[in-house]
Structure formats: C-alpha cells, structure tokens
Amino acid sequence: FFCPNRADPRNLTDVSEFLLLELSEDPELQPVLAGLFLSMYLVTVLGNLLIILAVSSDSHLHTPMYFFLSNLSLTDIGFTSTTVPKVIVDIQTHSRVISYVGCLTQMSLFAVFGGMEDMLLSVMAYDRFVAICYPLYYPVIMNPCFCGFLVLLSFFLSLLDSQLHNWIALQITCFKDAEIPNFFCDPSQLPHLACCDTFTNNIVMYFLAAIFGFLPILGILFSYYKIVSSILRVPSSGGRYKAFSTCGSHLSVVCLFYGTGVGGYLSSDVSSYPRKGAVASVMYTVVTPMLNPFIYSLRNRDIQSALRQLQARIL
C-alpha cells in the first residue's frame, strides 16, 4: 500500500482494499447513526418517488419543468443510494473495508449522479429563463424532443466526467496510505493518497472542476440575471411575484446543493480533522437529496394537488 522504493517496486495489483473513515468511534453512537442514516435514506427515496409518481400520474404536470423535476428526483435517489446503503452496512457489521473495485465503482456512480444533478439544475435554470423571458416561444423551444435531448446530454456529459475520474484513479500506481478520509470513495480524495507525481492528475482534476462545475454555475447565474432583469420590467408587483414564484423552489435547491457541496469540499481541504469534512459531506450527499422533495412540494401548489390526487387514487 505504501510508496515503493527503487528496490521494491509495486503496482496496482498490490492494492486490494481501502479503509473508509468512521463517522464516530463511540460504540454507543453506532446504532444511533445507523438508525439516522436509514431514516434519512427512506425519507429521501420515498419523497423523491412521490414526486416522480405525482408528475407521471397528473397530465397537467406533463410539462418541461416537471419533466426535469422528475429526472432530478430520480437522480437524487441514485445519488444517495451510491453512499448511504454502504454506510449502514458498515456500521452494522463494524467494518470499514471497501474493495479496490468497489471503491472505483462507488466513485464512478457518485460522479455520474453528482454530475447529473449539476447538469439538471443548470438545464432547469435555462427552462425558467425561456419561460419567463420568451413566454410566446416557450412551447416551440422547449419541445419534448429538445427536453429529452437535454436530459440525455446531461447524462452523457456526467458519464464522461465519471470515466475521466476513473482514468485518473487508474493512473495511480502506488499509495502512501490505505485510509480514505471520508465515509465513501470521494473522487476528489483518492488522488490525494497517491505517493507518485500527481501534477498531470491535478491538472485534469482542475480541468474537470472548471468544465463540470464552473460552467453549469455560470449558466445558472446568467439565466437568473436575465430572469431578474425581465421580472423587474414587469409593471405590477403581483406579476413580478407570480413570475418569480416559479423560480423560488429551484433557486432554493440550487443554493442548498452548491452551498453544501462547496462547504463540504472546503472543510475537507482546510480542516485538519477528517471527521469534520466527513460530516460536511453528509450534508450534500444525504441531507440535500432528502430536502429537495420537501422544497418542491411545500412551495408548489401543482405538486401538492397532484399528491392529493395520487393519495385519493391509492385510498
């Protein structure tokens, strides 16, 4: 596992498993943590499934905005399912071990679903931009084929991001430590364990962060700049409120996702205590997907109406 010298060369075949970080070493807290993660996971899956069922069962919600919302809910289920079940099993079995293949698989899925969330949030911002700034052309621009194309493009770009992260991990031929300072195989953490020259890998990592992180944020900021400029030209306060209310939920989710994500990565880089970074990672990997359905359902009358109709059908 450790950095080789010239007389003792090692390669990737020497690495068979990694050790994940425990959120707490206190044995009495382990059942509490397991119950907490299980509860949050069930709420996340159930809440996002209800959003998907509500959108698919109500013909009034078969619009681009809710089409993207249902895809976001599906992505949230996959995003949290990548990490939480493994955490629960590890707590119950008192094990921190993850195999090398399992780590690469988890890292790949995490990058796919994380990238999908990133891309879909920017696509939803573009959807609101077209709806508010060009309402007469909205049905023509956001036609079903174009909406499907945007979702597929988001998926393939996220898959490309995932494969590039895998390529970076496969370039690492020796490790200075076998313990990953997080409760899952974070794509940003594995290269830090390399003991060889990681200059090229760091350049690729920064390039990926710029393309798949900065550009979507830039697109969201540009869309909302145009939206705010258009809303301010509306003469009545009631019209301005009605126009901005369609963006409130999305803006809340954007702030929550990027706020917790940036906070998690900053805390892991700045803090000398790995557990602080791991707790911050819980916020954007577990808490954010759990809160998204509540944000969209509590502030959206259409979703509330669809959920009541769905409940009535079930009963």
Side-chain angles (χ1 to χ4, degrees):
F1 288 103
F2 299 98
C3 297
N5 52 41
R6 294 182 180 178
D8 183 27
R10 295 173 185 246
N11 52 36
L12 279 173
T13 57
D14 294 320
V15 180
S16 59
E17 59 188 26
F18 293 101
L19 296 177
L20 299 174
L21 181 69
E22 282 185 314
L23 292 174
S24 175
E25 294 180 351
D26 189 353
E28 296 180 356
L29 280 179
Q30 300 302 318
V32 177
L33 287 175
L36 183 62
F37 273 96
L38 180 60
S39 301
M40 290 191 294
Y41 180 66
L42 292 177
V43 170
T44 301
V45 173
L46 181 60
N48 284 287
L49 277 178
L50 286 175
I51 295 291
I52 295 172
L53 291 174
V55 171
S56 61
S57 63
D58 192 341
S59 59
H60 297 93
L61 300 183
H62 292 174
T63 60
M65 182 175 72
Y66 294 109
F67 170 70
F68 295 134
L69 176 59
S70 59
N71 279 278
L72 182 67
S73 296
L74 186 62
T75 301
D76 279 334
I77 294 175
F79 188 54
T80 192
S81 297
T82 304
T83 57
V84 177
K86 171 65 176 171
V87 174
I88 297 172
V89 171
D90 287 349
I91 293 175
Q92 291 297 104
T93 58
H94 305 286
S95 173
R96 297 190 297 146
V97 176
I98 184 170
S99 66
Y100 178 78
V101 175
C103 184
L104 288 182
T105 302
Q106 187 182 60
M107 185 180 68
S108 178
L109 292 174
F110 181 84
V112 167
F113 289 115
M116 273 290 290
E117 181 122 3
D118 193 21
M119 296 294 174
L120 285 175
L121 287 175
S122 61
V123 167
M124 293 171 77
Y126 174 74
D127 172 71
R128 293 298 85 208
F129 158 70
V130 176
I132 293 175
C133 299
Y134 303 98
L136 297 179
Y137 296 99
Y138 180 72
V140 178
I141 297 175
M142 302 304 294
N143 59 77
C145 292
F146 185 62
C147 292
F149 168 75
L150 288 177
V151 172
L152 287 176
L153 180 64
S154 300
F155 172 73
F156 284 118
L157 287 176
S158 303
L159 188 62
L160 175 63
D161 180 36
S162 168
Q163 295 309 305
L164 288 174
H165 276 103
N166 266 350
W167 176 81
I168 292 174
L170 291 172
Q171 300 307 303
I172 302 174
T173 56
C174 56
F175 296 88
K176 58 187 176 183
D177 196 357
E179 184 170 354
I180 298 175
N182 213 330
F183 66 93
F184 66 97
C185 286
D186 192 337
S188 66
Q189 296 289 342
L190 200 60
H192 293 167
L193 302 180
C195 59
C196 50
D197 183 21
T198 59
F199 178 74
T200 304
N201 291 346
N202 289 335
I203 291 178
V204 176
M205 288 286 289
Y206 289 133
F207 176 76
L208 292 178
I211 296 298
F212 297 100
F214 179 71
L215 288 183
I217 294 176
L218 194 63
I220 292 172
L221 292 176
F222 176 78
S223 297
Y224 274 102
Y225 165 73
K226 290 293 187 179
I227 287 171
V228 171
S229 300
S230 179
I231 289 175
L232 291 177
R233 290 196 296 266
V234 177
S236 65
S237 59
R240 288 195 295 267
Y241 174 78
K242 184 178 180 181
F244 192 73
S245 64
T246 61
C247 307
S249 299
H250 175 261
L251 192 59
S252 301
V253 170
V254 167
C255 293
L256 183 65
F257 178 74
Y258 286 108
T260 55
V262 171
Y265 279 105
L266 286 178
S267 62
S268 62
D269 289 338
V270 175
S271 176
S272 58
Y273 299 98
R275 281 194 177 84
K276 288 186 177 180
V279 171
S281 299
V282 172
M283 292 299 297
Y284 73 89
T285 58
V286 184
V287 177
T288 299
M290 180 184 69
L291 293 180
N292 286 352
F294 293 100
I295 294 174
Y296 277 105
S297 60
L298 291 176
R299 303 188 60 173
N300 192 306
R301 294 180 180 179
D302 294 333
I303 292 292
Q304 291 176 3
S305 175
L307 288 173
R308 283 194 293 268
Q309 293 179 12
L310 181 63
Q311 182 184 13
R313 289 181 183 179
I314 294 174
L315 294 178

Coordinates of all heavy atoms in Angstrom, one line a residue, residues 195-245:
C195 N 1.4 8.6 -3.9 CA 2.7 9.0 -3.5 C 3.6 9.4 -4.7 O 4.7 9.9 -4.5 CB 3.3 7.9 -2.6 SG 3.5 6.3 -3.5
C196 N 3.1 9.1 -5.9 CA 3.9 9.5 -7.0 C 3.6 10.9 -7.5 O 2.7 11.5 -6.9 CB 3.7 8.5 -8.2 SG 2.0 8.1 -8.5
D197 N 4.2 11.3 -8.6 CA 3.9 12.7 -9.1 C 2.5 12.8 -9.6 O 2.1 12.0 -10.5 CB 4.9 13.0 -10.2 CG 4.7 14.4 -10.7 OD1 4.2 15.2 -10.0 OD2 5.2 14.7 -11.8
T198 N 1.7 13.7 -9.0 CA 0.3 13.8 -9.4 C 0.0 15.1 -10.1 O -1.1 15.6 -10.2 CB -0.6 13.7 -8.1 OG1 -0.2 14.8 -7.2 CG2 -0.5 12.4 -7.5
F199 N 1.1 15.7 -10.7 CA 0.9 17.0 -11.4 C -0.1 16.9 -12.5 O -1.0 17.7 -12.6 CB 2.3 17.5 -11.9 CG 2.2 18.8 -12.6 CD1 2.0 20.0 -11.9 CD2 2.3 18.9 -14.0 CE1 1.9 21.2 -12.6 CE2 2.2 20.1 -14.7 CZ 2.0 21.2 -14.0
T200 N 0.1 15.9 -13.4 CA -0.8 15.7 -14.5 C -2.2 15.4 -14.0 O -3.2 16.0 -14.6 CB -0.3 14.6 -15.4 OG1 1.0 14.9 -15.8 CG2 -1.2 14.5 -16.6
N201 N -2.4 14.6 -13.0 CA -3.7 14.3 -12.5 C -4.4 15.5 -11.9 O -5.6 15.7 -12.1 CB -3.6 13.2 -11.4 CG -3.2 11.8 -12.0 OD1 -3.3 11.6 -13.2 ND2 -2.8 10.9 -11.2
N202 N -3.6 16.3 -11.2 CA -4.2 17.6 -10.7 C -4.7 18.5 -11.7 O -5.7 19.1 -11.6 CB -3.1 18.3 -9.8 CG -2.9 17.5 -8.5 OD1 -3.7 16.8 -8.0 ND2 -1.7 17.7 -7.9
I203 N -3.9 18.6 -12.8 CA -4.4 19.4 -13.9 C -5.7 18.9 -14.5 O -6.6 19.7 -14.8 CB -3.3 19.5 -15.0 CG1 -2.0 20.3 -14.5 CG2 -3.8 20.1 -16.3 CD1 -0.9 20.3 -15.5
V204 N -5.8 17.6 -14.7 CA -7.0 17.0 -15.2 C -8.2 17.3 -14.2 O -9.3 17.6 -14.6 CB -6.8 15.5 -15.5 CG1 -8.2 14.9 -15.9 CG2 -5.8 15.3 -16.5
M205 N -7.9 17.1 -12.9 CA -8.9 17.4 -11.9 C -9.4 18.8 -11.9 O -10.6 19.1 -11.9 CB -8.4 17.0 -10.5 CG -8.2 15.5 -10.3 SD -9.7 14.6 -10.0 CE -10.2 15.3 -8.4
Y206 N -8.5 19.7 -12.0 CA -8.9 21.2 -12.1 C -9.7 21.5 -13.4 O -10.6 22.3 -13.4 CB -7.7 22.1 -12.0 CG -7.1 22.1 -10.6 CD1 -5.7 21.9 -10.4 CD2 -7.8 22.2 -9.5 CE1 -5.1 21.9 -9.2 CE2 -7.3 22.2 -8.2 CZ -5.9 22.1 -8.1 OH -5.3 22.1 -6.8
F207 N -9.3 20.8 -14.5 CA -10.0 21.0 -15.7 C -11.4 20.5 -15.6 O -12.4 21.1 -16.1 CB -9.2 20.3 -16.8 CG -9.9 20.3 -18.2 CD1 -9.9 21.4 -18.9 CD2 -10.6 19.2 -18.6 CE1 -10.5 21.5 -20.2 CE2 -11.2 19.2 -19.9 CZ -11.2 20.4 -20.6
L208 N -11.6 19.3 -15.0 CA -12.9 18.7 -14.8 C -13.8 19.6 -13.9 O -15.0 19.8 -14.2 CB -12.8 17.3 -14.2 CG -12.2 16.2 -15.1 CD1 -12.1 14.9 -14.4 CD2 -13.0 16.1 -16.4
A209 N -13.1 20.1 -12.9 CA -13.9 21.0 -12.0 C -14.3 22.3 -12.7 O -15.5 22.8 -12.5 CB -13.0 21.4 -10.8
A210 N -13.5 22.8 -13.6 CA -13.9 24.0 -14.3 C -15.0 23.7 -15.3 O -15.9 24.5 -15.4 CB -12.6 24.5 -15.1
I211 N -14.9 22.6 -16.0 CA -15.9 22.3 -17.1 C -17.2 21.9 -16.4 O -18.3 22.4 -16.8 CB -15.4 21.2 -18.0 CG1 -14.1 21.7 -18.8 CG2 -16.4 20.8 -19.0 CD1 -14.4 22.9 -19.7
F212 N -17.2 20.9 -15.5 CA -18.4 20.3 -15.0 C -18.9 21.0 -13.7 O -20.0 20.7 -13.2 CB -18.2 18.8 -14.7 CG -17.9 18.0 -16.0 CD1 -16.6 17.7 -16.3 CD2 -18.9 17.7 -16.8 CE1 -16.3 16.9 -17.4 CE2 -18.6 17.0 -18.0 CZ -17.3 16.6 -18.3
G213 N -18.1 22.0 -13.2 CA -18.6 22.7 -12.0 C -18.8 24.2 -12.3 O -19.9 24.7 -12.1
F214 N -17.8 24.8 -12.9 CA -17.9 26.3 -13.1 C -18.9 26.6 -14.2 O -19.7 27.6 -14.0 CB -16.5 26.8 -13.4 CG -16.5 28.3 -13.6 CD1 -16.7 29.2 -12.6 CD2 -16.3 28.8 -14.9 CE1 -16.6 30.6 -12.8 CE2 -16.2 30.2 -15.2 CZ -16.4 31.0 -14.1
L215 N -18.8 25.9 -15.3 CA -19.7 26.2 -16.4 C -21.2 26.1 -16.1 O -22.0 27.0 -16.4 CB -19.3 25.4 -17.7 CG -18.0 25.8 -18.4 CD1 -17.8 24.9 -19.6 CD2 -18.0 27.2 -18.7
P216 N -21.6 25.0 -15.4 CA -23.1 25.0 -15.0 C -23.4 26.1 -14.1 O -24.5 26.7 -14.2 CB -23.2 23.6 -14.3 CG -22.1 22.8 -15.0 CD -21.0 23.7 -15.2
I217 N -22.6 26.4 -13.1 CA -22.9 27.6 -12.2 C -22.9 28.9 -13.0 O -23.8 29.7 -12.8 CB -21.8 27.7 -11.1 CG1 -21.8 26.4 -10.2 CG2 -22.0 28.9 -10.3 CD1 -20.7 26.4 -9.2
L218 N -22.0 29.0 -14.0 CA -22.1 30.2 -14.8 C -23.4 30.3 -15.6 O -24.0 31.4 -15.8 CB -20.9 30.2 -15.7 CG -20.5 31.6 -16.5 CD1 -20.1 32.6 -15.4 CD2 -19.4 31.3 -17.5
G219 N -23.8 29.2 -16.1 CA -25.1 29.1 -16.9 C -26.3 29.5 -16.0 O -27.2 30.2 -16.4
I220 N -26.3 29.0 -14.7 CA -27.4 29.3 -13.8 C -27.4 30.8 -13.5 O -28.4 31.5 -13.5 CB -27.2 28.5 -12.5 CG1 -27.5 27.0 -12.8 CG2 -28.2 28.9 -11.4 CD1 -27.2 26.0 -11.7
L221 N -26.2 31.4 -13.2 CA -26.1 32.8 -12.9 C -26.5 33.7 -14.0 O -27.2 34.6 -13.8 CB -24.6 33.1 -12.5 CG -24.1 32.5 -11.1 CD1 -22.7 32.9 -10.9 CD2 -25.0 33.0 -10.0
F222 N -26.1 33.3 -15.2 CA -26.6 34.0 -16.4 C -28.1 34.0 -16.6 O -28.7 35.0 -16.9 CB -25.8 33.5 -17.7 CG -26.3 34.2 -18.9 CD1 -25.8 35.5 -19.3 CD2 -27.2 33.6 -19.8 CE1 -26.2 36.1 -20.4 CE2 -27.6 34.2 -21.0 CZ -27.1 35.4 -21.3
S223 N -28.6 32.8 -16.4 CA -30.1 32.6 -16.6 C -30.8 33.5 -15.6 O -31.8 34.1 -15.9 CB -30.5 31.1 -16.4 OG -29.9 30.3 -17.4
Y224 N -30.4 33.4 -14.3 CA -31.1 34.2 -13.3 C -30.9 35.7 -13.5 O -31.7 36.5 -13.1 CB -30.7 33.7 -11.9 CG -31.6 32.6 -11.5 CD1 -31.2 31.3 -11.5 CD2 -32.9 32.8 -11.1 CE1 -32.0 30.2 -11.2 CE2 -33.7 31.8 -10.7 CZ -33.3 30.5 -10.8 OH -34.1 29.4 -10.4
Y225 N -29.7 36.1 -14.0 CA -29.5 37.5 -14.3 C -30.5 38.0 -15.3 O -31.1 39.1 -15.2 CB -28.1 37.7 -14.8 CG -27.9 39.1 -15.5 CD1 -27.8 40.2 -14.8 CD2 -27.8 39.2 -16.9 CE1 -27.6 41.5 -15.4 CE2 -27.6 40.4 -17.5 CZ -27.5 41.5 -16.8 OH -27.3 42.7 -17.4
K226 N -30.8 37.2 -16.4 CA -31.8 37.6 -17.4 C -33.2 37.5 -16.8 O -34.0 38.3 -17.1 CB -31.6 36.6 -18.6 CG -30.4 36.8 -19.4 CD -30.4 38.1 -20.1 CE -29.3 38.3 -21.1 NZ -29.4 39.6 -21.8
I227 N -33.4 36.5 -15.9 CA -34.7 36.4 -15.3 C -35.1 37.6 -14.5 O -36.2 38.2 -14.6 CB -34.8 35.1 -14.5 CG1 -34.9 33.9 -15.5 CG2 -36.0 35.1 -13.6 CD1 -34.7 32.5 -14.7
V228 N -34.1 38.0 -13.6 CA -34.3 39.1 -12.7 C -34.5 40.4 -13.5 O -35.4 41.2 -13.2 CB -33.2 39.3 -11.7 CG1 -33.3 40.6 -11.0 CG2 -33.2 38.1 -10.8
S229 N -33.7 40.6 -14.6 CA -33.9 41.7 -15.5 C -35.2 41.8 -16.1 O -35.8 42.9 -16.2 CB -32.8 41.7 -16.5 OG -31.5 41.8 -15.9
S230 N -35.7 40.6 -16.5 CA -37.1 40.6 -17.2 C -38.2 40.8 -16.2 O -39.1 41.5 -16.5 CB -37.2 39.2 -17.8 OG -38.5 39.1 -18.4
I231 N -38.0 40.3 -14.9 CA -39.1 40.4 -13.9 C -39.2 41.9 -13.5 O -40.3 42.4 -13.2 CB -38.8 39.5 -12.7 CG1 -39.0 38.0 -13.1 CG2 -39.7 39.9 -11.5 CD1 -38.6 37.0 -12.0
L232 N -38.0 42.6 -13.4 CA -38.1 44.0 -12.9 C -38.7 44.9 -13.9 O -39.2 46.0 -13.6 CB -36.6 44.5 -12.7 CG -35.9 43.8 -11.5 CD1 -34.5 44.3 -11.4 CD2 -36.7 44.1 -10.2
R233 N -38.9 44.4 -15.2 CA -39.6 45.2 -16.2 C -41.1 45.0 -16.1 O -41.8 45.7 -16.8 CB -39.1 44.9 -17.6 CG -37.6 45.4 -17.8 CD -37.3 45.4 -19.3 NE -37.3 44.1 -19.9 CZ -36.3 43.3 -20.0 NH1 -35.1 43.7 -19.5 NH2 -36.4 42.1 -20.5
V234 N -41.6 44.1 -15.3 CA -43.0 43.8 -15.2 C -43.6 45.0 -14.4 O -43.1 45.3 -13.3 CB -43.3 42.5 -14.5 CG1 -44.8 42.3 -14.3 CG2 -42.7 41.3 -15.4
P235 N -44.6 45.7 -14.8 CA -45.1 46.8 -14.1 C -45.8 46.6 -12.8 O -45.6 47.3 -11.8 CB -46.1 47.4 -15.1 CG -46.5 46.3 -16.0 CD -45.4 45.4 -16.1
S236 N -46.6 45.5 -12.7 CA -47.3 45.2 -11.4 C -46.5 44.4 -10.5 O -45.7 43.5 -10.9 CB -48.6 44.6 -11.7 OG -48.4 43.3 -12.3
S237 N -46.6 44.6 -9.2 CA -46.0 43.8 -8.2 C -46.5 42.4 -8.1 O -45.8 41.4 -7.9 CB -46.1 44.5 -6.8 OG -47.5 44.6 -6.4
G238 N -47.8 42.2 -8.4 CA -48.4 40.9 -8.5 C -47.8 40.1 -9.6 O -47.6 38.9 -9.4
G239 N -47.6 40.7 -10.7 CA -47.0 40.0 -11.9 C -45.6 39.6 -11.6 O -45.1 38.5 -12.0
R240 N -44.8 40.5 -10.9 CA -43.4 40.2 -10.6 C -43.4 39.0 -9.6 O -42.5 38.1 -9.7 CB -42.7 41.4 -10.0 CG -42.4 42.5 -11.0 CD -41.4 43.5 -10.4 NE -42.0 44.2 -9.3 CZ -42.6 45.4 -9.3 NH1 -42.8 45.9 -10.6 NH2 -43.1 46.0 -8.3
Y241 N -44.3 39.0 -8.6 CA -44.3 37.9 -7.6 C -44.7 36.6 -8.3 O -44.0 35.5 -8.0 CB -45.3 38.2 -6.5 CG -45.5 37.1 -5.5 CD1 -44.5 36.8 -4.6 CD2 -46.6 36.2 -5.6 CE1 -44.7 35.8 -3.7 CE2 -46.8 35.2 -4.7 CZ -45.8 35.0 -3.8 OH -46.0 33.9 -2.9
K242 N -45.6 36.6 -9.2 CA -46.1 35.4 -9.9 C -44.9 34.8 -10.8 O -44.7 33.6 -10.8 CB -47.3 35.7 -10.7 CG -47.9 34.4 -11.4 CD -49.1 34.8 -12.2 CE -49.7 33.5 -12.9 NZ -50.9 33.9 -13.7
A243 N -44.2 35.7 -11.4 CA -43.1 35.3 -12.3 C -42.0 34.7 -11.5 O -41.4 33.6 -11.8 CB -42.6 36.5 -13.1
F244 N -41.6 35.4 -10.4 CA -40.5 34.9 -9.6 C -40.9 33.7 -8.7 O -40.0 32.9 -8.4 CB -40.0 36.0 -8.6 CG -38.7 35.7 -8.0 CD1 -37.5 35.7 -8.7 CD2 -38.6 35.3 -6.7 CE1 -36.3 35.4 -8.2 CE2 -37.4 35.0 -6.1 CZ -36.2 35.1 -6.8
S245 N -42.2 33.5 -8.4 CA -42.6 32.3 -7.6 C -42.3 31.0 -8.3 O -42.1 30.0 -7.7 CB -44.1 32.4 -7.2 OG -44.9 32.4 -8.4

